[in-house]
Amino acid sequence: MRDGVPAIGIIGVSGLYQMEGVENSTEQRVETPFGEPSDAVMGGTMHGRQIFFLPRHGRGHRILPHELNHRANIYALRSLNVRWIICVTAVGSLQEKYHPRHVLLPDQFYDRTSQRAAHTFFGEGIAAHVGFADPISPPLRALLQEAADEAGIRMHNGGTYVNMDGPAFSTRAESELNRRHGFDVIGMTNLPEAKLAREAEIALATMAMITDYDCWKLEEEAVSAQAVLGHLLANAETAKKVLANVIPRIPPEPNWPEHSALDTALITDRKLWPAETVRKLGPILSRFV
């Protein structure tokens, strides 16, 4: 790890634990005031850039979606000076045109979760309300599209990801309702990551790897964990190609709008900030104290 160098983070799915071309590999356990991250953070350099990889569900896929400690995961990456995050996540398709093994780059989210209190770093005496109209970093999403085009990989650019709690998959009634609302893909994990990354002033974009048709398409077998895993492993190889192409395209300095998201978000007068909360949020608030 190179101290002080803005780093690139990758939050990945099963099958994406190792990438070719990564040098100077490291592995470290990162302690956070929010508890333990999903796993050790694996580091290294690629194309001269510092990168860190965190397996979302832990190696061996041991953690259910509702058990994920998103705050610890994002905090751990921010404490390592990660300023860009690329999420690779499994989703179900809600539209005919998106087939299993296709990839969608969402630009919007719809929140159907019930754990919003755990999807913010703030509280305990410091109030903040980040702008989230555009939850995905437009420039990072554009770079992912460019990298995919260069690799000859077709991606659907833009769409809405609806986030449900899980861990059970949708009922047919829920799936049909989500389709009628015009949502494109459905998953259980990515929205909290995007919210917390924005609060941590990290630019985030997502590769949504389509593994199934949820359960709305009656002529297809309803989604199952085994079916998802088969497509997921194939999609992981696609993700590796895109990641290898996008990393050298990311600028070296974090100067996008997402990197100063707290400028217009912090509400509480700094004179009233509790010292303990400031200490707890050290990596996030460091430029304000």
Side-chain angles (χ1 to χ4, degrees):
M1 185 179 74
R2 296 177 294 166
D3 291 340
V5 176
I8 299 164
I10 300 165
I11 299 178
V13 294
S14 298
L16 195 63
Y17 302 149
Q18 300 293 332
M19 285 180 57
E20 294 181 6
V22 175
E23 302 175 337
N24 308 310
S25 296
T26 63
E27 184 174 315
Q28 57 189 307
R29 294 280 174 183
V30 181
E31 295 183 2
T32 88
F34 297 97
E36 293 186 2
S38 294
D39 209 320
V41 179
M42 291 165 274
T45 56
M46 192 174 195
H47 300 294
R49 301 298 300 275
Q50 179 71 56
I51 64 170
F52 292 103
F53 175 76
L54 181 63
R56 178 183 289 107
H57 296 278
R59 281 171 284 191
H61 206 112
R62 299 171 288 102
I63 306 170
L64 284 168
H66 70 283
E67 296 177 318
L68 286 169
N69 190 338
H70 293 290
R71 286 189 292 190
N73 287 346
I74 301 299
Y75 189 101
L77 293 174
R78 184 65 181 86
S79 69
L80 294 170
N81 206 23
V82 165
R83 305 309 307 275
W84 301 267
I85 290 177
I86 299 168
C87 295
V88 182
T89 187
V91 297
S93 168
L94 294 170
Q95 302 299 333
E96 186 76 47
K97 60 185 176 182
Y98 305 132
H99 304 281
R101 303 198 183 186
H102 283 196
V103 184
L104 182 137
L105 303 176
D107 62 343
Q108 283 295 325
F109 288 100
Y110 192 87
D111 192 354
R112 289 199 184 279
T113 68
S114 59
Q115 303 181 65
R116 297 185 188 187
H119 299 165
T120 179
F121 290 116
F122 291 96
E124 298 182 4
I126 302 180
H129 301 277
V130 292
F132 206 56
D134 297 303
I136 294 290
S137 168
L140 188 53
R141 181 165 61 93
L143 291 180
L144 284 171
Q145 181 66 68
E146 290 176 13
D149 289 344
E150 185 179 275
I153 295 168
R154 183 182 175 221
M155 287 194 179
H156 303 277
N157 197 346
T160 299
Y161 175 125
V162 56
N163 203 124
M164 63 182 287
D165 278 328
F169 294 117
S170 303
T171 67
R172 295 192 194 278
E174 291 167 339
S175 195
E176 279 297 338
L177 182 63
N178 286 325
R179 274 173 48 76
R180 291 174 188 172
H181 279 309
F183 303 142
D184 295 288
V185 294
I186 185 165
M188 303 178 186
T189 61
N190 195 217
L191 176 61
E193 294 167 344
K195 284 186 175 181
L196 290 160
R198 184 61 53 86
E199 289 189 349
E201 298 189 318
I202 299 171
L204 177 145
T206 294
M207 285 191 285
M209 319 300 280
I210 296 170
T211 59
D212 56 86
Y213 283 109
D214 204 27
C215 62
W216 60 269
K217 198 170 184 181
L218 296 179
E219 63 270 29
E220 297 280 341
E221 183 180 353
V223 57
S224 69
Q226 288 185 335
V228 165
L229 186 59
H231 290 306
L232 196 56
L233 293 175
N235 278 345
E237 295 306 311
T238 297
K240 289 176 183 179
K241 294 177 183 177
V242 177
L243 290 169
N245 277 348
V246 79
I247 286 170
R249 299 170 186 267
I250 296 173
E253 295 300 323
N255 54 16
W256 292 347
E258 297 86 3
H259 297 127
S260 55
L262 293 181
D263 282 352
T264 56
L266 293 162
I267 302 297
T268 309
D269 190 309
R270 293 183 201 178
K271 297 176 183 177
L272 301 176
W273 288 4
E276 179 59 24
T277 305
V278 172
R279 184 201 62 76
K280 182 178 181 180
L281 300 182
I284 295 169
L285 294 177
S286 59
R287 70 185 187 90
F288 295 96
V289 296

